[in-house]
């Protein structure tokens, strides 16, 4: 509840080799307060509801592994073909034993491959692609990154509040779109955006004034229309 109502930026950062799992993720999920909460991760960190072994147990069970073996492994494909063509009961039993032995041999390999694949889903690149984190921030760059991000957000949130005060119809995203449309710097570069805000404070303040006048005029026009009715 405290996170939901908090009115200042909140940053969640996964340090190198850190992991966020299960119920711990739910407690700090940015969807609790999307306007203020943002997740970041070192490239060597992990995040997800289940650990890779747990994902494999649910998504790639033994039956699925066996199907994959018979689809991929040339020796199993050959044995399957021999079994299908075989009419002798004793020979069929021998081939089935060879198939079972081959499956037992391949099980550890396929389990390891599946676990590695599931682990890829939890890596920073995948988390960013899925939109659950904002950016990958190496530990060595984190101090500088968050310094400029914090200073940018202080200035930016102040402008957003002024824009919303000037025009009550603006939500957070609409106010940000106005700032983004004005900004000539790379929107993803915190230091560059901060420099833009500092150098163009007068222009932004003028834009806020224009919006305030336009909002007042729109309100007057609405009242006049109501009176005319």
């Amino acid at each position: 509840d405290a996170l939901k109502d908090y009115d200042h930026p909140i940053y969640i950062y996964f340090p190198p080799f850190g992991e966020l799992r299960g119920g711990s993720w739910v407690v700090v999920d940015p969807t609790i307060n999307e306007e203020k909460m943002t997740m970041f991760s070192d490239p060597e960190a992990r995040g997800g509801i289940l650990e890779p072994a747990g994902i494999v147990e649910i998504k790639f069970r033994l039956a699925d592994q066996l199907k994959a073996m018979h689809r991929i492994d040339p020796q199993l494909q050959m044995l399957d073909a021999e079994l299908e063509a075989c009419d002798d009961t004793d020979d069929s039993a021998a081939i089935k034993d060879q198939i079972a032995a081959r499956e037992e041999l391949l099980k550890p390999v396929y389990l390891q491959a599946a676990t590695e694949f599931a682990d890829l889903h939890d890596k920073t690149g995948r988390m960013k692609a899925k939109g659950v984190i904002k950016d990958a921030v190496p530990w060595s760059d984190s101090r500088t990154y968050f310094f400029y991000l914090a200073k940018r957000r202080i200035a930016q949130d102040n402008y957003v509040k002024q824009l919303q005060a000037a025009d009550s119809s603006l939500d957070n995203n609409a106010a940000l779109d106005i700032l983004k449309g004005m900004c000539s710097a790379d929107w993803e570069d915190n230091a560059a955006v901060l420099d833009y805000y500092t150098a163009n404070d007068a222009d932004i303040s003028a834009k806020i004034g224009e919006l305030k006048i336009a909002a007042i005029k729109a309100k007057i026009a609405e009242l006049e229309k109501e009176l005319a009715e």
Side-chain angles (χ1 to χ4, degrees), residues 30-131:
T31 56
I32 295 170
N33 187 347
E34 290 183 310
E35 290 184 5
K36 301 298 181 182
M37 295 179 68
T38 317
M39 269 187 178
F40 302 88
S41 176
D42 179 89
E44 297 300 324
R46 300 284 192 280
I49 301 300
L50 296 175
E51 294 187 7
I55 294 175
V56 171
E57 287 182 7
I58 296 172
K59 296 290 188 179
F60 196 54
R61 297 178 180 179
L62 179 58
D64 299 313
Q65 294 176 36
L66 292 175
K67 288 179 183 178
M69 292 177 198
H70 286 262
R71 187 176 66 251
I72 297 171
D73 185 63
Q75 188 169 337
L76 280 176
Q77 290 175 350
M78 180 186 69
L79 290 169
D80 286 339
E82 290 180 2
L83 181 63
E84 186 176 352
C86 183
D87 295 327
D88 186 272
T89 303
D90 292 338
D91 289 343
S92 295
I95 294 172
K96 287 178 181 179
D97 288 342
Q98 293 180 57
I99 290 173
R102 182 64 177 173
E103 289 174 346
E104 285 297 321
L105 181 66
L106 292 176
K107 278 179 185 178
V109 177
Y110 275 70
L111 179 60
Q112 182 179 0
T115 304
E116 289 293 325
F117 182 79
D119 184 54
L120 291 174
H121 184 273
D122 294 342
K123 289 189 175 183
T124 298
R126 184 60 179 167
M127 287 193 288
K128 183 178 179 181
K130 294 294 287 184

Side-chain angles (χ1 to χ4, degrees), residues 197-213:
Y197 288 155
T198 303
N200 296 273
D201 179 71
D203 292 338
I204 297 172
S205 296
K207 179 66 173 179
I208 293 169
E210 291 174 6
L211 284 173
K212 185 174 182 179
I213 292 171

Side-chain angles (χ1 to χ4, degrees), residues 175-193:
L176 282 175
D177 286 341
I178 292 172
L179 293 173
K180 187 175 181 179
M182 295 180 66
C183 184
S184 56
D186 179 359
W187 191 248
E188 301 302 321
D189 186 331
N190 295 314
V193 174

Side-chain angles (χ1 to χ4, degrees), residues 1 16 141 145 155 180 183 225:
D1 290 340
D141 301 333
Y145 184 93
K180 187 175 181 179
C183 184
K225 183 179 180 180

